[in-house]
């Protein structure tokens, strides 16, 4: 019986891999990796030697059939991405869906994903939230920003450091300068930072201090009570 194990890997701090993930990597016959060099470094740190095959974003559609053949030829295969949980803004979803369609068992291990420490550390409500991943760069971006502007739940976005200030400018434009936001940068790493404040305050900070590293933006939901009060004034 063949099985695909989805194994999350650290998003910065190598101590953040679970005992179960390490055991699963040790027991596997084959590992599919987004970037084989990144995964080989992690495996070498864990002193694990296993065959690692590429399964990255550019070939996810094309390599589905050959990946399924390899999974069927083994009893135990692992899927990892460069960091965090496969499928979360990373390759994985298509392969997982294809396994389910083909009747191949999957087992999804819990573990690191930047979205979780980011929203919890933001201090905004996290009982319900919307994860938008990366916003599209061009087509559809404005539609998403308009939807987030009306969203009552907390919204989480992934963003690159060189696009951060532009994105904060659009948050200010679409949601108002006073919308409360938080930028979570370099989570689990040495220079981890949470910067909280209004959209204009946080934007001004990063204009003065151009950011490096990996970034999550958390946007507080629209305050419906306030909107009603403002309208009635
Ligand atoms: N699969 C990953 C996960 O589970 O979070 C996400 C991979 S996606 C290609 C990379 C993006 O995730 C980064 O651009 C950033 O937005 C976010 N990210 C990943 N690691 C992070 C970290 N240590 N601190 C802040 N954001 C991070």
């Amino acid at each position: 019986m063949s099985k695909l194990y989805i194994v999350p890997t650290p998003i910065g701090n190598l101590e953040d891999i679970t005992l179960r993930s390490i055991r699963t990597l040790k027991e596997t016959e084959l590992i599919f990796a987004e970037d084989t060099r990144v995964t080989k470094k992690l495996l070498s740190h864990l002193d694990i030697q296993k065959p690692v095959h590429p399964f990255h974003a550019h070939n996810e559609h094309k390599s589905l059939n050959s990946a399924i053949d390899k999974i069927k030829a083994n009893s135990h295969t692992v899927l990892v991405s460069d960091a965090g949980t496969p499928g979360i803004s990373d390759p994985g979803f298509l392969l997982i869906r294809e396994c389910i369609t083909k009747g191949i068992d999957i087992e999804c291990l819990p573990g690191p994903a930047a979205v979780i420490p980011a929203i919890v550390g933001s201090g905004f409500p996290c009982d319900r939230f919307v994860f938008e991943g990366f916003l599209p760069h061009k087509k559809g971006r404005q539609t998403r920003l308009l939807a987030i502007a009306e969203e009552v739940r907390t919204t989480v976005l992934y963003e690159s450091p060189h696009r951060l200030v532009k994105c904060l400018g659009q948050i200010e434009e679409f949601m108002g300068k006073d919308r409360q936001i938080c930028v979570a940068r370099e989570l689990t790493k040495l220079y981890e930072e949470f910067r909280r404040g209004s959209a204009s305050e946080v934007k001004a900070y990063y204009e003065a201090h151009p950011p490096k590293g990996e970034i999550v933006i958390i946007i507080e939901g629209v305050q419906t009570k306030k909107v009603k009060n403002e309208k009635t004034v």
Side-chain angles (χ1 to χ4, degrees):
M1 185 78 175
S2 301
K3 198 167 191 176
L4 177 68
Y5 293 80
I6 321 300
V7 175
T9 54
I11 57 166
N13 188 327
L14 289 176
E15 290 181 1
D16 291 338
I17 188 157
T18 69
L19 295 174
R20 185 169 159 221
S21 292
I22 295 172
R23 179 177 55 74
T24 304
L25 288 167
K26 281 184 178 159
E27 287 173 358
T28 201
E29 291 154 292
L30 170 68
I31 299 172
F32 280 124
E34 183 183 6
D35 182 334
T36 55
R37 291 162 304 179
V38 172
T39 298
K40 280 177 184 167
K41 264 191 209 158
L42 175 70
L43 293 175
S44 138
H45 169 78
L46 297 169
D47 203 16
I48 297 173
Q49 285 95 35
K50 293 288 171 182
V52 184
H53 290 218
F55 189 79
H56 47 72
H58 314 294
N59 72 2
E60 195 173 357
H61 273 281
K62 278 194 198 153
S63 26
L64 269 188
N65 288 341
S66 76
I68 293 287
D69 289 344
K70 284 181 186 138
I71 293 168
K72 280 183 175 167
N74 292 283
S75 60
H76 192 300
T77 305
V78 158
L79 173 68
V80 292
S81 60
D82 288 354
T85 301
I88 302 298
S89 298
D90 265 343
F93 151 66
L94 291 177
L95 185 61
I96 293 163
R97 185 174 68 179
E98 195 65 7
C99 284
I100 294 167
T101 307
K102 296 260 163 37
I104 298 168
D105 271 359
I106 58 159
E107 199 164 316
C108 195
L109 278 62
V115 51
I116 299 299
I119 188 168
V120 176
S122 73
F124 297 145
C126 50
D127 49 346
R128 299 188 302 152
F129 65 91
V130 179
F131 175 62
E132 282 278 353
F134 290 100
L135 290 180
H137 287 180
K138 292 195 179 110
K139 200 165 173 272
R141 187 175 178 93
Q142 188 164 330
T143 313
R144 297 257 203 119
L145 284 162
L146 284 168
I148 298 167
E150 298 294 318
E151 180 55 66
V152 294
R153 295 165 292 183
T154 306
T155 297
V156 182
L157 305 178
Y158 283 174
E159 189 51 282
S160 69
H162 68 277
R163 297 182 64 90
L164 177 66
V165 169
K166 185 179 172 208
C167 185
L168 296 179
Q170 290 177 322
I171 291 173
E172 205 179 358
E173 181 190 335
F174 283 80
M175 302 168 213
K177 63 181 176 47
D178 295 328
R179 179 69 71 98
Q180 294 300 299
I181 66 163
C182 172
V183 168
R185 198 175 63 83
E186 293 290 81
L187 289 163
T188 79
K189 303 184 197 176
L190 191 58
Y191 296 106
E192 176 175 296
E193 169 183 75
F194 282 87
R195 192 141 299 269
R196 306 174 183 88
S198 68
S200 62
E201 284 166 350
V202 178
K203 184 177 133 234
Y205 176 83
Y206 284 112
E207 275 170 341
H209 306 86
K212 284 187 183 148
E214 299 194 276
I215 283 167
V216 183
I217 304 173
I218 309 96
I219 306 168
E220 193 176 33
V222 69
Q223 306 288 303
T224 46
K225 275 189 196 144
K226 232 194 237 172
V227 171
K228 271 183 200 154
N229 288 344
E230 277 166 8
K231 275 184 185 161
T232 50
V233 170

